Amino acid sequence: MKVAIVTSEAVPFSKTGGLADVTGTLFKEYLHMGIEAFLFMPLYKRTAEQFGEEIQDTGIAIDIPIGKASRQCKVFTLKSQGKGRQNTDKKNLASDFWLLTSERVFFIGNEEYFGRDELYGTPRGDYPDNDQRFAFFCKSVLELCKKLKIDMDVIHCNDWQTGLIPIYLKTLYSSADVFRKTISVITIHNLGYQGIFPPQTMEITGLGWEFFQMEGVEFYGNVNFLKAGIVGADIITTVSRTYAKEILTPESGFGLDGILRKRADRIYGILNGIDYNEWNPSADKFLPYSYNRSRLSGKTKCKAELMKLCSLEGDTDAPLMSFVGRLSSQKGIDIFADAIPEIITKGANIVILGKGEEYYHTLLNSVRERFYRRLFFYSGFDEAIAHLTYAGSDIFLMPSRYEPCGLGQMIAMRYGTIPIGRNTGGLADTIEDGETGFLFNDYSSRGLMSGIGRALACYADRELWQRMTKSAMGKDFSWERSARLYLELYRKFSR
Ligand code: ADP
């Protein structure tokens, strides 16, 4: 079975959040399982800088129509082993890719669109030409499949950036021989991001104006790329069972619940996994000490290191709570920030690692000044600090307003760090309340504090806490299970 995973980000090449973990790891899992999988993503400036030596120009250049103009897509791939590849240790995860394949990873290059510092925009807002950038990306992927004559069985799209592909397959590309048996899948990783653009974007997409209507890509007078995917895909998936139900309701449907309800018979919830090679406390290159379920002393040593790194006062007996994530309103930073004074009063220290909206950076910097030596805020994206934070803390907070799946809580459990999450989406599906973590219902600092109160009461009972820690570490969040479910689904609808 030939499966293309099309995504705007994938580890190890580019990442702003969980989407990259999911696509990169699913791709790798497919290769391990012997599936003929392909990965398509843009060649961003950062990717080119970091992996420049390993990436090569294929010499393929395709002119892609964008509105009345056209832009050139230059296609890059990984150098195969031995063909000038020098740095095998740059990234564990990356070297795995090279061992398995080189001709299966395609980067879509265009200096004007992707040669920028960020993937989608700056803290002040999205890039204004994101419609062009991702319409170009979608068309480039399909044109490349045509050019290389790869007759994919499945094109698996992810989020709004790839939403035009399913509808293109049913329209502009419906007569292309190479896609005769292709089915399209769109996975919604987060319905809160839809790619909404003004009506003029219709010209850029190349779709006829007849699609600018309620059953098509029109959305309250604008063009909606994710809706294009929902309308056009043969299968729609989202990343947990609970979220698959939540998105059908007006409260969580972000205006798309109506169209989603119409397609409910094609919607499936498949939980994400985490990469067990990357996230493994007994062999984690970012950790100063390793540990496992039956030998936890390394975890306490990691905690001491983390406290030192963050200049936190006190000894390692005091509970240490952490947050790692995007600083956006989805993640509950506001209720968390409100709760901070009370958390500190209860004797806990806090480590926050996050990047995102300017408003939250300012907010968290101001609490940091107030609670110096009790709270550490690292403003930025840093993998090494993230790993140490997961390992070195006792409690991991995910007070999300909504959470399609969430990886943080699964990573935390893998590292024996007890998650406290709001009872929503994937948090509800992965945290067993009182067993492997704690759930709270009310989206408020009071609701969060109720979860924290229960966690701290258990933390005071060392035996009980250790039991919970071990139980959390024993859970299986590997990708293999999820990958099999995706494959079953592809087969169910294959042509
Ligand atoms: P989302 O996809 O909504 O951002 P997830 O919980 O699904 O949230 O995934 C977030 C992923 O990104 C996790 O692997 C998390 O560790 C990582 N991450 C988020 N923010 C940071 C950061 N500032 N530094 C390092 N890693 C981060």
Side-chain angles (χ1 to χ4, degrees), residues 258-276:
I259 194 84
L260 284 165
R261 280 196 299 275
K262 282 195 180 145
R263 303 228 54 206
D265 61 329
R266 292 293 176 111
I267 301 181
Y268 296 83
I270 297 180
L271 202 64
N272 291 330
I274 53 174
D275 185 337
Y276 270 30

Side-chain angles (χ1 to χ4, degrees), residues 203-323:
E203 305 285 353
I204 288 162
T205 64
L207 292 166
W209 280 97
E210 65 273 24
F211 292 96
F212 192 68
Q213 42 112 342
M214 264 191 18
E215 303 295 314
V217 303
E218 188 269 343
F219 184 72
Y220 297 101
N222 289 312
V223 177
N224 185 321
F225 278 19
L226 184 63
K227 191 177 173 205
I230 292 169
V231 169
D234 296 299
I235 309 173
I236 301 159
T237 73
T238 185
V239 288
S240 68
R241 283 189 170 189
T242 297
Y243 195 59
K245 289 187 205 130
E246 286 173 348
I247 57 174
L248 304 181
T249 66
E251 301 76 52
S252 308
F254 288 94
L256 286 177
D257 47 293
I259 194 84
L260 284 165
R261 280 196 299 275
K262 282 195 180 145
R263 303 228 54 206
D265 61 329
R266 292 293 176 111
I267 301 181
Y268 296 83
I270 297 180
L271 202 64
N272 291 330
I274 53 174
D275 185 337
Y276 270 30
N277 291 324
E278 193 197 351
W279 302 108
N280 178 4
S282 62
D284 184 326
K285 64 178 187 298
F286 292 113
L287 296 188
Y289 303 96
S290 60
Y291 60 94
N292 59 37
R293 237 176 128 210
S294 47
R295 200 173 36 83
L296 281 165
S297 56
K299 180 164 175 66
T300 314
K301 291 182 188 158
C302 286
K303 182 174 179 181
E305 284 296 315
L306 178 63
M307 290 180 72
K308 200 162 88 192
L309 179 82
C310 300
S311 307
L312 296 174
E313 69 186 18
D315 58 33
T316 52
D317 284 342
L320 180 54
M321 297 188 186
S322 61
F323 171 93

Side-chain angles (χ1 to χ4, degrees), residues 310-313 367-375:
C310 300
S311 307
L312 296 174
E313 69 186 18
V367 255
R368 188 193 176 184
E369 270 167 36
R370 233 175 110 196
F371 297 109
Y372 193 62
R373 289 197 164 273
R374 298 293 307 281
L375 179 145

